[in-house]
Amino acid sequence: MQGVENWTVVGLLGFVALLYTVYRAVKEVSKDFKAPLSEANSKIENHELRLKNLESGAKNLNEEIESQKEMIRLILVQISALAKDDKEAIKKASENIDKYLRKQF
């Protein structure tokens, strides 16, 4: 019986060694999968950051365009008043342009 128990212990130790070997092999293979995955995640994060910057830039550009549209509208009102030689309208348009510029800067 002693011999059977020894073989059982040896068998268990062998099985544990086999499991450990399989574990190390799986761990080694997983490194091969993790490296490209990590690189891909890094690229995704970089693209997300670039996208946020583009969205922010687009928002700023839209605000700038709206600001320029308003300034053009005020200038056209001024030109119209000048063309009509309406002194009151010229003065009012000049004041509106002045107010707008002070508000912007």
Side-chain angles (χ1 to χ4, degrees), residues 19-97:
L19 286 178
Y20 181 72
T21 303
V22 169
Y23 166 76
R24 290 189 62 196
V26 168
K27 189 175 178 181
E28 194 65 32
V29 169
S30 71
K31 285 181 186 177
D32 295 339
F33 287 110
K34 287 180 182 177
L37 184 61
S38 175
E39 185 178 323
N41 285 341
S42 176
K43 286 181 180 180
I44 289 170
E45 289 172 2
N46 186 24
H47 287 297
E48 288 175 349
L49 179 62
R50 292 169 75 192
L51 183 61
K52 286 179 185 177
N53 288 340
L54 287 172
E55 289 171 347
S56 175
K59 181 181 177 189
N60 291 342
L61 185 59
N62 284 335
E63 290 172 358
E64 183 66 28
I65 289 171
E66 290 301 317
S67 174
Q68 289 179 2
K69 284 166 114 177
E70 179 62 17
M71 189 63 198
I72 289 170
R73 188 192 68 75
L74 292 170
I75 290 171
L76 289 174
V77 169
Q78 178 78 347
I79 291 170
S80 175
L82 288 168
K84 294 177 186 175
D85 198 29
D86 183 352
K87 292 182 182 174
E88 190 61 35
I90 293 170
K91 182 178 178 185
K92 185 175 179 185
S94 294
E95 288 172 355
N96 287 339
I97 290 172

Side-chain angles (χ1 to χ4, degrees), residues 6-24:
N6 286 342
W7 282 108
T8 305
V9 170
V10 170
L12 283 175
L13 288 176
F15 183 69
V16 168
L18 176 66
L19 286 178
Y20 181 72
T21 303
V22 169
Y23 166 76
R24 290 189 62 196

